[in-house]
Amino acid sequence: MSIKYSEIIKQVIGLITIPLLYSGVFIAVILSMHSFHLSETMEDVIVFGGSFLLIGVSVLTVLKFIMVNGEIEYNPNGIHIHLDNRSFLFPHGDFFISYSNVENAAMNEDSAGRSFATLKIRSPKKSILILPVKSTDTDSFVSYWENLQQQFNSYNAVNTGHPELIIKSKGFYESGFMKFLAFLSLLFAGFFTGLKFMDPSSVSTWKLIVFYCYAIPFLYTVIRSNKNNSPLNMSTHEK
């Protein structure tokens, strides 16, 4: 199955450092504009146009360097992953993961309804993110994962007497960290909303709306994921 591969900790670091790096360059350009004696209209165009360009370039950089194309296949012993391109972030182009080395495996959906899978590895300890290459590949990706899950079920059935080896199925949004972020989002949403009611000039309306656009889908996804949480089926996966 063709996939897009990433690792969660590297995604988090990239999503933080890349926009900060580009923002620093953009701020330096803005601060130096006065030396070019530009008109106020031209400065506004550069600021607003540059902001959109900054967002676009940041997203493209993340997609280019934090995610790589590859292939995944499995057999009764484990999972083999081949990456099309090696990089300083992903130096190992080919690697094998035995089922005994898989701590958690789950299919997830983000706030936009896009499917992705996560694999948490015992050693070296890391969390892997796997996505379909294109949105049109989602059905075949989900079907492939369901077949792979049967391998997890078979492995778990053999190791029922060894609970420390059982492959769990906790979704990405069911982790303690995601629940903590959801709690913070709810806390900040309540705080800023209350502040807006008490002093309308203290919080701009458009900034509050932007925050709602982030917080509400994220909260819904976390609540829905935890509500539908169920342990990994030990027999047959029900479609």
Side-chain angles (χ1 to χ4, degrees):
M1 180 74 195
S2 296
I3 58 168
K4 282 189 175 294
Y5 173 95
S6 187
E7 294 172 14
I8 293 177
I9 185 62
K10 292 176 182 178
Q11 273 214 341
V12 171
I13 294 173
L15 288 170
I16 294 173
T17 57
I18 289 172
L20 283 177
L21 177 63
Y22 287 154
S23 296
V25 174
F26 183 53
I27 291 171
V29 171
I30 292 175
L31 293 177
S32 64
M33 283 195 305
H34 68 278
S35 61
F36 294 97
H37 306 290
L38 300 174
S39 66
E40 185 176 344
T41 301
M42 182 58 68
E43 289 183 355
D44 290 340
V45 169
I46 292 175
V47 170
F48 287 105
S51 298
F52 286 107
L53 181 63
L54 175 66
I55 294 171
V57 171
S58 297
V59 171
L60 289 175
T61 304
V62 169
L63 293 177
K64 178 68 176 178
F65 294 101
I66 310 299
M67 285 186 166
V68 293
N69 289 344
E71 294 180 345
I72 181 173
E73 59 180 326
Y74 61 87
N75 59 38
N77 299 315
I79 303 166
H80 176 249
I81 294 178
H82 166 76
L83 303 182
D84 293 346
N85 299 301
R86 297 184 183 185
S87 68
F88 69 98
L89 289 176
F90 307 110
H92 305 294
D94 288 274
F95 52 96
F96 179 78
I97 306 169
S98 64
Y99 294 127
S100 61
N101 198 26
V102 179
E103 181 178 340
N104 186 80
M107 175 64 72
N108 308 266
E109 280 190 0
D110 62 15
S111 56
R114 293 169 296 198
S115 297
F116 65 96
T118 51
L119 287 169
K120 187 175 182 181
I121 309 304
R122 303 180 194 275
S123 178
K125 198 170 184 65
K126 61 182 177 180
S127 294
I128 295 172
L129 184 67
I130 300 171
L131 306 91
V133 176
K134 300 176 182 177
S135 58
T136 53
D137 299 331
T138 299
D139 289 342
S140 57
F141 177 77
V142 172
S143 178
Y144 188 90
W145 182 265
E146 289 175 346
N147 293 329
L148 175 56
Q149 191 177 49
Q150 296 306 311
Q151 296 291 328
F152 297 148
N153 294 339
S154 299
Y155 170 82
N156 282 351
V158 173
N159 290 280
T160 52
H162 302 278
E164 72 280 3
L165 296 178
I166 295 296
I167 300 174
K168 302 178 182 63
S169 184
K170 178 182 286 188
F172 179 73
Y173 293 100
E174 295 158 21
S175 66
F177 180 68
M178 287 291 114
K179 291 178 183 178
F180 176 69
L181 286 182
F183 172 75
L184 283 182
S185 298
L186 183 62
L187 189 67
F188 280 118
F191 173 75
F192 288 124
T193 301
L195 200 62
K196 181 68 174 176
F197 275 107
M198 289 186 293
D199 184 7
S201 63
S202 62
V203 180
S204 66
T205 301
W206 73 269
K207 287 183 179 179
L208 193 59
I209 292 174
V210 169
F211 182 75
Y212 285 158
C213 289
Y214 151 77
I216 293 175
F218 177 68
L219 284 168
Y220 171 76
T221 302
V222 173
I223 292 171
R224 182 191 61 184
S225 298
N226 284 274
K227 183 179 180 181
N228 296 332
N229 180 31
S230 60
L232 187 64
N233 187 359
M234 295 298 297
S235 54
T236 305
H237 183 80
E238 297 179 2
K239 294 185 180 180

